[in-house]
Amino acid sequence: MNRAEILKELMNSQRVYGLVDTLDRVFGKNIHVSIGFSENALRTNVEDLALSVRSYNAIRRTGISTIGDLVDRLNQGDLKGIRNLGAKSYKEIQTKILVYGFERLSENEQTSFFYKLIDENSMI
């Protein structure tokens, strides 16, 4: 399969199964994914992520109030040390941020996102 065919399959799978399930099925659980966020998205309150009460309360107790704060803490690796934030909550936060960011990408940006994954994971 060439890049365009792989892209088409990824986009179709994402529409049917969702982004997280598609990435898990195609790339596995240990994939590193990066999505750029607009300044507006980074200023958005973490409440917009619709986290579980446990996850939300744990991050709010540390002073995290915006998605930008949360992304910074994720990038620094600081989230794993937060009290009452276990592995499930950590995974939930990663997933919600990924989906939140992906859903705000234009169709062209989503295409670029998938092409980057294809290239970085040697799918051709």
Side-chain angles (χ1 to χ4, degrees), residues 14-115:
Q14 183 272 137
R15 286 183 194 100
V16 173
Y17 301 109
L19 177 65
V20 174
D21 284 344
T22 295
L23 295 180
D24 187 39
R25 288 171 186 228
V26 176
F27 299 103
K29 294 191 182 295
N30 293 322
I31 184 173
H32 182 270
V33 179
S34 178
I35 291 183
F37 288 90
S38 69
E39 288 298 317
N40 190 40
L42 292 174
R43 287 190 300 268
T44 303
N45 194 301
V46 292
E47 290 174 355
D48 287 4
L49 293 176
L51 296 168
S52 66
V53 172
R54 182 179 194 92
S55 297
Y56 177 75
N57 287 340
I59 63 172
R60 288 293 296 179
R61 270 194 301 275
T62 64
I64 295 171
S65 61
T66 66
I67 291 175
D69 295 339
L70 190 55
V71 169
D72 286 345
R73 295 288 295 269
L74 264 174
N75 289 339
Q76 295 168 7
D78 291 346
L79 281 187
K80 289 186 177 182
I82 295 175
R83 194 177 109 238
N84 292 331
L85 192 71
K88 283 184 181 180
S89 295
Y90 184 77
K91 179 73 173 173
E92 174 196 11
I93 290 168
Q94 286 180 310
T95 300
K96 294 275 185 159
I97 285 178
L98 174 64
V99 171
Y100 179 87
F102 184 79
E103 289 175 348
R104 278 144 189 83
L105 296 176
S106 68
E107 191 169 332
N108 286 340
E109 291 169 327
Q110 288 179 359
T111 300
S112 295
F113 169 81
F114 279 122
Y115 272 138

